[in-house]
Amino acid sequence: MTGLKSIMLAAGLLLAGAGPGIGHAAAPVAPAVTAPAATAPAAPAATAPQATTTAAAAKPTDPALAQDGAPIMAPTAGVGQPVDGHWGIQPQVTKNGERAHWFHDAILVPVITVISLFVLGLLFWVMYRYRAAANPVASKTSHNTLIEIVWTLAPVIILVLLAVPSIGLLQAQYKPAPTNAITLKAIGNQWYWSYQYPDNGGFEVTANMLKEKGDVPAGERFRTDADGPRLLAADNRVVLPVGVPIRLITTANDVIHSWAVPAFWIKLDAVPGRLNETSFTIEKPGVYFGQCSELCGARHGYMPIAVEAVTPEQFAAWVKAKGGTPKGAKPAAPAAAAPAAPAPAAAAVANTTGPVENATSAATTTQGAAAKPAAAGTGH
């Protein structure tokens, strides 16, 4: 028994002395076993792009742009739209419009007023001077050379003097657009407008008239005061930059329409199979309304035009949101990375190029800017 106790005591002392060694030996083993199972190094790499994407998505956009890139701008009362009871021409926001407004108010109206008052006074004088009571014996005068020369030359001189500024204004309206102009192609349809931006990637926007609240089914978008006046508000507005020349091209797909915006002093016919062109430059930001000004069918009065003039920076942001490319912008960098990729990867990129462009065009032809189904409010 004494020997057995001695052996057990010796074994206990041996284990007590070897305990620290065993613990130290196990310490390096634990990391080695758990390291492969733990994905700490890989996890940050996998989640980093998601965090970056989330941060980018959460980053606030330009407050002047809606979620789909359509600028948020409410129309100003009395500007760019008709006013009940107002006499005269709308305030003009283009050079040609200001020139035409001055020509109308400073030259045409005074000349017309003077001629009308002169003829009216002449009629009263003739009725009084040559009345039967004052001339019991009628005059037999049938010819007066001086009077005939005066009433022939005077109108000719007046018309020539009016023709000089009038022809100059007409020439300015059809002056070719400069090379830095932004092209807007307006296409008339029965009965809505579609717009293309050839200089910005060729995307297309369709604009239909917004109906009143009581004229649409539940859940469909209807006109509000922020959209514009009744019969003039459109679900998608034409967006154009301020201070940049605009080349307007019009045509039609069915019958003759006419693209007219009074505040721009623009009225250009849209003829099927023909391209008409003019140019203008908007000087003030705002929302400006117009209508089709050519009888084009039963719903001729339901083809409004809504133009939103914004800064060039906001216009560029809107173009990008629509999937287009701002004019003069450098092309994206994927082409530079293509040579470094293997041939199969390059082929895969080439295969995806076509559908991406088509998807962009298709997406922008809908009424996304209005948050409205594409088939809604088409007027058909």
Side-chain angles (χ1 to χ4, degrees):
M1 290 295 293
T2 304
L4 179 60
K5 291 180 179 180
S6 301
I7 293 173
M8 294 179 62
L9 181 60
L13 293 174
L14 178 61
L15 292 174
I22 295 174
H24 292 303
V29 175
V33 175
T34 56
T39 56
T47 58
Q50 296 179 354
T52 304
T53 305
T54 305
K59 182 180 179 180
T61 57
D62 188 338
L65 300 178
Q67 291 181 358
D68 64 348
I72 302 175
M73 184 180 295
T76 303
V79 177
Q81 57 184 291
V83 178
D84 187 22
H86 175 73
W87 287 47
I89 300 173
Q90 290 186 17
Q92 298 297 301
V93 294
T94 65
K95 288 294 184 183
N96 288 338
E98 293 173 354
R99 180 177 175 181
H101 199 175
W102 171 85
F103 181 54
H104 174 270
D105 291 350
I107 297 181
L108 291 183
V109 171
V111 169
I112 292 173
T113 302
V114 170
I115 292 176
S116 299
L117 292 177
F118 173 75
V119 173
L120 182 63
L122 189 61
L123 288 175
F124 279 116
W125 181 78
V126 168
M127 288 188 294
Y128 174 78
R129 173 65 179 80
Y130 298 103
R131 68 189 190 278
N135 297 275
V137 180
S139 172
K140 296 183 179 180
T141 302
S142 61
H143 184 74
N144 189 303
T145 303
L146 178 62
I147 292 179
E148 291 187 359
I149 292 176
V150 170
W151 73 35
T152 301
L153 288 183
V156 172
I157 294 174
I158 293 173
L159 291 177
V160 170
L161 294 178
L162 293 177
V164 173
S166 179
I167 293 175
L169 176 61
L170 187 65
Q171 183 182 13
Q173 287 179 303
Y174 293 96
K175 182 179 180 180
T179 55
N180 64 329
I182 298 295
T183 302
L184 173 67
K185 185 176 181 180
I187 305 171
N189 307 273
Q190 288 182 312
W191 288 271
Y192 62 95
W193 292 97
S194 55
Y195 301 95
Q196 296 178 356
Y197 289 77
D199 296 338
N200 300 105
F203 66 91
E204 185 172 323
V205 177
T206 300
N208 293 277
M209 187 191 75
L210 282 175
K211 299 179 182 179
E212 298 302 299
K213 184 177 182 179
D215 298 334
V216 299
E220 186 175 337
R221 185 184 173 195
F222 54 87
R223 184 195 67 86
T224 64
D225 292 339
D227 294 310
R230 178 179 174 271
L231 300 180
L232 291 179
D235 55 0
N236 285 329
R237 293 173 178 173
V238 182
V239 180
L240 294 174
V242 173
V244 179
I246 306 299
R247 177 188 292 107
L248 174 65
I249 298 176
T250 60
T251 187
N253 286 329
D254 32 54
V255 298
I256 299 178
H257 302 273
S258 185
W259 201 87
V261 179
F264 299 164
W265 202 261
I266 292 292
K267 181 182 180 296
L268 192 63
D269 285 351
V271 183
R274 176 176 176 177
L275 297 178
N276 289 334
E277 179 178 332
T278 187
S279 62
F280 59 93
T281 302
I282 307 173
E283 297 183 335
K284 298 178 181 179
V287 183
Y288 307 98
F289 297 94
Q291 284 180 310
C292 175
S293 296
E294 187 70 40
L295 292 176
C296 58
R299 295 185 60 83
H300 156 70
Y302 303 96
M303 288 183 62
I305 301 167
V307 179
E308 189 159 337
V310 298
T311 63
E313 294 76 16
Q314 290 178 338
F315 175 74
W318 179 80
V319 168
K320 292 179 181 178
K322 290 295 183 182
T325 304
K327 185 176 182 179
K330 296 181 179 180
V349 172
N351 290 336
T352 59
T353 302
V356 168
E357 293 179 356
N358 293 336
T360 300
S361 176
T364 54
T365 57
T366 63
Q367 314 196 14
K372 173 182 177 182
T378 57
H380 295 291

